[in-house]
Amino acid sequence: MKKTGKFFFVLIFFLSLQNLQSQYIIPEPVKMEVSEGYFELNESTIISVNGKEAYSDAEIFNGYLKNVYGFELKIETQSKEKNNVIILEKVIRSDIPPNSYEISMNKKEIRISGDVIHYALQTLKQLLFNKISKGFIIPCSQITDYPRYNYRGMHLDVARHFFPKEFIKKYIDYIAMYKMNYFHWHLTDDQGWRIEIKRYPKLTEIGAWRKGVLTGKYKDKSRESDTTVYGGFYTQEDIKEIVEYAAKRHVTIIPEIEMPGHSLAALSSYPEYSCTGGPFEVSREWGVFEDIFCPKEETFTFLENILSEVVDLFPSQYIHIGGDEAPKDRWKTCQYCQDLIEKEGLKDENELQSYFVRRIEKFLNSKKKILIGWDEILEGGLAPNAVVMSWRGTEGGVDAARQNHNVIMTPGEYCYFDHYQGDPRTEPVAIGGYTTVEKVYSFEPTPAELSGDQKYKIFGAQGNLWTEYIITPDKVEYMVFPRICALSEVLWTPENKKDFRNFKDRLRKHFDLLDELKINYSKAIYNIEAKYSPPSFSSGVEIELFAPFSNSEIHFTTDGSEPDMKSEKFIPIVLKKSCTLKASYFENGVKQGNTFVQEFDINKATGKEITLLNQPRKKYSVGGAFSLVDGIEGMLPWSGRDWLGFLGDDLNATIDLGKEEEISQLTVDCLNAELSWIYLPKEIEIFVSTDGINFQSVIKIGWNEINKFERNVTISFDKIKTKYVKIVAKNFGKIPAGKPGEGTDAWLFVDEISIN
Ligand code: ACM
Ligand code: ZN
């Protein structure tokens, strides 16, 4: 009996080893080999350390074990233990690059050495997934690892919404977990001042509180706000505590104090540092505001006094001073500003901004700090030692690198985590955009056009989280995860090891850990992706669907019912009738992810040949002309994915119906969003032709009629037979005075054209 019991125990143990999951780490290490045998980490495992830093790293690791798994290990300095021991040796090694670590394991020990032990412990945390009753079995591995970039950052805006101290610490944990090393803390903006400054108490007495906030979206016409007082700030004690917390996790905090723009909260507290003298109110709305700091001597004294306190609180070598989105309207009409331009021999207000930044830089340099600014600090000339954070694309970064300045890349397209990360119809509200995990993963921080030496000016990259539409910590997590995982790999893993398919498979397993840590994350990577094209030999729309993972089957319906395994299996199809397409994908018979849902309106124009006289702007032309006749109505909130955007130009589209058809109605879907400078067309004219050369006007409608529509402009006319239809929708023209963007060309945004 006894013997059999033991035999079974051994057998079960053996079988469980057979089922051990293979290793997967995010970000993927430079080199990792799995060798023979297993190390069992359990409650009796001892951590041996060789000094203060390793001791602190071990303590943080222990805190994690305790929080997540309910046990911790004994830490000894230079332990004599030979068995069941994790040895941490902080050493500067000349044989591996800086910031490296090595892990080597056998049955008896895990030996970690390198100059940042902390990174090795993040890897070790991710190896704890083969659970046994009181610990973990870790297949022995040999790992050598170091980062690709020195700057691996995450940003958080606490001005638009305030997040409590405890959550900031959690956010720092997340940064550290992915071996990132900078936290860019956006502490001040128009909507709130969030850092206590002893010398200027009104900054937090007044500037930290706003008397309400927009309830709808910024782009809504109504712009309604509530009247609930909202705000909060961090005391200097809070900040010291957080800075120390971050330092223990090898994360440097870079504070951002915005100037000269995005400064309404400060100016509401101290209006004397504006051009007009105010009064001002901490903003309840999002956007860009014209009242900014006036470059008076008193203003510099004020800002330098603030920065002196900031510098004392943050040991970071870098201080961010913003510099973005500073309208020059006030400076243009301010006598002091104009006199200063003349006195300093400056060319214009851009050079005045440059003067402003140079003075602040000189001050920071005198405090042994380096200035970072958003890429607008290039305008009017860069301050001599400034680091540029390139957010409006990568061009600013390229420009700065060519001028021999260090650069941090944060282009909106790849690095703005306030964008949608999946289909806006199934994601919580976001500011706009479309930045999927795959898009983030595809980011290459070093632009190919830089020469060898200039390439070294790319210090790294950063994910930015602006919080206009992010009110709770839960949603911060949702917007950050799992895009932070993708970004960490962009920044850490060697370029030649980047492989999205492989990453996605690892990420999927990594979700188990996120569940264990109770992190709220988006599952958009499970979404089915679709591609639409004009069919080759018929009318309608050709549809291809792509499952996110291999070994899966897609099943679909067109009658509105929920697809299951018994529904028709998907192969590329041509839709010829209006319907709702629903599709799901299944692995081993089990549905994964959300159901894909798309409505199609198939009409006489759908899938027909369409030519455009004027081309839309590149950013808003992703689907090309076909997206106007693909049977799909443009999605709201709008993005460049399905809308075509014409700046100042008209829409002039000719559709070849393929044969003579009788038609009596045309609908053109246009966007009406004045706050985004997008206007309905001011006039629409429809023409027909049987030969495609000689066109005859059928109907023309003007602004009074068009303005009655919210978006789909439907035009009916007497029945007429035609093969070609031309529609000319005239751009609204210059934006009228008193409207956002006044005096500039309006955008015309068009999506579907339907003909019946
Ligand atoms: C920014 O997004 N205004 C830097
Ligand atoms: Zn002024």
Side-chain angles (χ1 to χ4, degrees):
M1 241 348 245
K2 232 176 155 185
K3 230 176 168 175
T4 326
K6 194 168 177 187
F7 171 76
F8 271 116
F9 175 77
V10 170
L11 180 69
I12 286 165
F13 184 71
F14 180 74
L15 286 177
S16 70
L17 290 188
Q18 293 289 300
N19 288 329
L20 282 183
Q21 285 206 46
S22 59
Q23 315 289 57
Y24 60 89
I25 313 285
I26 293 173
E28 165 127 66
V30 173
K31 193 166 158 224
M32 176 162 176
E33 281 164 11
V34 179
S35 50
E36 286 278 297
Y38 303 91
F39 180 88
E40 188 180 319
L41 189 150
N42 54 38
E43 286 170 83
S44 336
T45 304
I46 285 174
I47 305 183
S48 169
V49 299
N50 73 337
K52 236 170 96 183
E53 187 177 313
Y55 192 94
S56 162
D57 293 335
E59 276 190 321
I60 306 284
F61 179 70
N62 245 348
Y64 174 86
L65 287 181
K66 181 120 198 252
N67 268 339
V68 185
Y69 303 113
F71 73 95
E72 52 187 350
L73 310 180
K74 195 166 166 217
I75 306 172
E76 293 178 359
T77 301
Q78 311 277 18
S79 174
K80 298 274 181 295
E81 193 56 57
K82 293 273 180 284
N83 260 319
N84 198 9
V85 60
I86 301 173
I87 301 157
L88 306 185
E89 292 173 329
K90 150 112 188 165
V91 281
I92 309 286
R93 287 175 44 170
S94 54
D95 57 330
I96 44 181
N99 301 310
S100 302
Y101 68 87
E102 258 186 5
I103 303 181
S104 84
M105 288 186 209
N106 59 40
K107 274 190 338 211
K108 296 179 175 174
E109 64 172 45
I110 297 179
R111 185 173 289 272
I112 291 174
S113 83
D115 55 353
V116 192
I117 295 298
H118 156 82
Y119 295 142
L121 291 171
Q122 304 320 304
T123 297
L124 187 57
K125 272 156 69 171
Q126 292 194 30
L127 292 175
L128 306 179
F129 49 73
N130 291 306
K131 280 187 190 154
I132 50 173
S133 73
K134 284 217 163 85
F136 303 90
I137 290 179
I138 308 171
C140 290
S141 339
Q142 318 303 319
I143 301 173
T144 306
D145 203 10
Y146 45 86
R148 179 173 173 207
Y149 289 98
N150 286 328
Y151 187 103
R152 304 178 302 282
M154 280 299 298
H155 150 287
L156 181 66
D157 165 15
V158 296
R160 273 53 177 265
H161 283 103
F162 177 74
F163 301 96
K165 183 172 76 179
E166 287 315 313
F167 182 70
I168 300 298
K169 289 183 180 172
K170 238 182 178 180
Y171 197 76
I172 290 164
D173 287 343
Y174 299 151
I175 293 173
M177 173 171 159
Y178 294 102
K179 305 184 178 91
M180 296 171 104
N181 57 351
Y182 283 96
F183 170 40
H184 170 175
W185 202 359
H186 186 79
L187 285 163
T188 74
D189 215 300
D190 301 302
Q191 297 80 5
W193 183 280
R194 307 274 177 236
I195 170 173
E196 178 191 26
I197 299 295
K198 303 269 192 204
R199 190 167 175 144
Y200 301 109
K202 283 194 283 183
L203 283 171
T204 43
E205 284 164 15
I206 296 172
W209 308 96
R210 60 181 182 242
K211 299 194 184 93
V213 71
L214 281 187
T215 45
K217 286 214 57 163
Y218 165 61
K219 286 169 182 161
D220 288 353
K221 257 189 169 172
S222 60
R223 305 194 105 181
E224 281 168 6
S225 51
D226 64 21
T227 52
T228 314
V229 173
Y230 178 94
F233 64 92
Y234 308 97
T235 63
Q236 295 205 348
E237 284 313 303
D238 290 338
I239 292 195
K240 284 179 200 157
E241 187 183 323
I242 292 169
V243 166
E244 190 186 321
Y245 184 91
K248 280 193 171 159
R249 286 152 185 84
H250 299 258
V251 171
T252 300
I253 303 185
I254 300 177
E256 180 181 355
I257 306 295
E258 274 268 21
M259 60 188 81
H262 286 295
S263 48
L264 263 184
L267 293 177
S268 304
S269 319
Y270 296 94
E272 57 269 38
Y273 304 121
S274 69
C275 289
T276 65
F280 309 106
E281 193 192 310
V282 181
S283 182
R284 306 182 209 187
E285 296 196 355
W286 319 128
V288 170
F289 301 91
E290 285 169 0
D291 287 291
I292 67 174
F293 286 120
C294 179
K296 302 181 252 208
E297 283 311 306
E298 307 89 277
T299 307
F300 285 111
T301 307
F302 172 69
L303 291 172
E304 288 174 9
N305 287 336
I306 290 172
L307 288 173
S308 292
E309 291 190 33
V310 169
V311 159
D312 287 345
L313 286 168
F314 293 92
S316 165
Q317 192 185 2
Y318 303 99
I319 304 288
H320 202 305
I321 58 93
D324 59 321
E325 298 180 321
K328 307 299 183 298
D329 308 63
R330 294 292 177 265
W331 289 2
K332 280 185 183 149
T333 55
C334 168
Q335 196 54 51
Y336 183 89
C337 288
Q338 292 305 312
D339 291 349
L340 185 59
I341 286 176
E342 188 164 327
K343 179 170 149 238
E344 293 292 328
L346 305 171
K347 201 167 83 209
D348 55 15
E349 290 74 20
N350 280 339
E351 289 199 357
L352 183 55
Q353 164 146 334
S354 176
Y355 165 87
F356 191 113
V357 176
R358 279 171 208 262
R359 280 200 54 168
I360 295 293
E361 168 169 82
K362 208 163 166 189
F363 175 76
L364 286 175
N365 289 172
S366 78
K367 298 270 181 186
K368 308 245 171 324
K369 301 286 183 182
I370 297 171
L371 176 149
I372 303 182
W374 299 109
D375 57 51
E376 284 92 334
I377 66 167
L378 280 151
E379 294 159 7
L382 265 182
N385 309 307
V387 176
V388 171
M389 203 170 253
S390 188
W391 71 282
R392 296 174 301 173
T394 52
E395 296 81 0
V398 168
D399 196 2
R402 288 190 172 141
Q403 295 181 47
N404 227 17
H405 285 253
N406 285 329
V407 171
I408 298 159
M409 289 294 190
T410 63
E413 213 184 331
Y414 299 94
C415 296
Y416 271 41
F417 293 176
D418 55 341
H419 290 174
Y420 283 98
Q421 53 193 316
D423 187 336
R425 291 167 300 188
T426 52
E427 287 291 313
V429 66
I431 200 160
Y434 191 67
T435 302
T436 60
V437 171
E438 183 166 11
K439 183 88 188 178
V440 176
Y441 196 85
S442 72
F443 182 45
E444 174 47 49
T446 306
E449 64 259 47
L450 290 179
S451 71
D453 280 356
Q454 294 162 351
K455 282 194 164 81
Y456 291 105
K457 292 289 167 190
I458 308 301
F459 191 17
Q462 172 178 291
N464 289 347
L465 197 69
W466 303 100
T467 57
E468 284 93 336
Y469 301 102
I470 302 173
I471 302 173
T472 61
D474 233 34
K475 190 158 173 194
V476 170
E477 289 184 357
Y478 188 87
M479 300 308 278
V480 163
F481 284 92
R483 289 185 281 200
I484 189 175
C485 306
L487 184 64
S488 77
E489 198 145 315
V490 166
L491 290 167
W492 183 279
T493 306
E495 197 186 351
N496 63 10
K497 283 196 98 175
K498 268 175 76 183
D499 173 350
F500 185 66
R501 282 246 151 231
N502 170 288
F503 171 75
K504 210 157 65 159
D505 284 335
R506 277 181 287 126
L507 183 58
R508 197 177 177 186
K509 293 183 201 151
H510 188 72
F511 281 174
D512 291 344
L513 177 59
L514 301 188
D515 287 333
E516 184 111 49
L517 300 178
K518 300 186 177 60
I519 291 171
N520 184 33
Y521 59 94
S522 167
K523 298 184 181 69
I525 61 156
Y526 286 102
N527 290 354
I528 289 174
E529 295 289 333
K531 188 177 159 209
Y532 311 114
S533 35
S536 321
F537 301 107
S538 63
S539 59
V541 193
E542 182 167 341
I543 300 166
E544 286 174 89
L545 297 179
F546 303 92
F549 297 98
S550 43
N551 305 326
S552 59
E553 295 177 12
I554 297 180
H555 294 262
F556 77 105
T557 63
T558 53
D559 61 1
S561 65
E562 200 58 28
D564 57 26
M565 282 292 285
K566 291 199 271 320
S567 311
E568 203 175 332
K569 198 168 162 180
F570 187 87
I571 49 165
I573 52 171
V574 176
L575 275 188
K576 292 181 182 248
K577 281 204 207 107
S578 299
C579 70
T580 302
L581 174 69
K582 290 192 177 182
S584 298
Y585 88 97
F586 299 83
E587 287 175 356
N588 306 318
V590 181
K591 182 186 163 186
Q592 309 285 332
N594 294 331
T595 306
F596 169 90
V597 182
Q598 181 63 60
E599 284 187 33
F600 289 88
D601 165 36
I602 311 288
N603 56 74
K604 287 173 181 156
T606 313
K608 300 293 165 57
E609 198 177 315
I610 176 167
T611 46
L612 298 177
L613 187 67
N614 308 312
Q615 293 310 308
R617 290 296 157 131
K618 192 160 161 254
K619 198 169 161 196
Y620 300 109
S621 61
V622 175
F626 171 67
S627 66
L628 297 182
V629 290
D630 61 3
I632 300 170
E633 187 174 71
M635 226 188 283
L636 288 180
W638 55 273
S639 74
R641 266 209 312 164
D642 42 3
W643 294 87
L644 299 189
F646 299 87
L647 180 58
D649 287 327
D650 304 335
L651 166 77
N652 186 322
T654 303
I655 299 168
D656 178 353
L657 300 177
K659 60 178 195 293
E660 282 218 343
E661 297 261 18
E662 191 172 74
I663 65 167
S664 60
Q665 193 182 67
L666 182 148
T667 300
V668 56
D669 191 10
C670 303
L671 205 58
N672 184 2
E674 285 181 11
L675 291 171
S676 302
W677 310 5
I678 300 170
Y679 281 73
L680 291 173
K682 96 179 152 209
E683 182 188 292
I684 299 174
E685 188 164 10
I686 298 168
F687 302 84
V688 292
S689 164
T690 47
D691 59 7
I693 299 162
N694 301 301
F695 282 88
Q696 156 203 350
S697 174
V698 174
I699 190 168
K700 178 155 96 174
I701 64 167
W703 178 248
N704 285 344
E705 270 178 84
I706 294 168
N707 193 30
K708 289 181 196 144
F709 293 92
E710 229 354 91
R711 53 181 281 194
N712 284 299
V713 181
T714 298
I715 306 165
S716 299
F717 41 87
D718 292 339
K719 279 185 187 155
I720 189 163
K721 275 196 151 185
T722 182
K723 184 164 181 281
Y724 297 90
V725 180
K726 176 151 74 180
I727 164 170
V728 179
K730 287 235 178 303
N731 189 295
F732 185 83
K734 297 281 179 218
I735 295 175
K739 302 277 189 185
E742 65 176 74
T744 61
D745 286 334
W747 284 91
L748 170 63
F749 264 60
V750 191
D751 181 47
E752 204 61 7
I753 300 173
S754 328
I755 299 176
N756 286 297

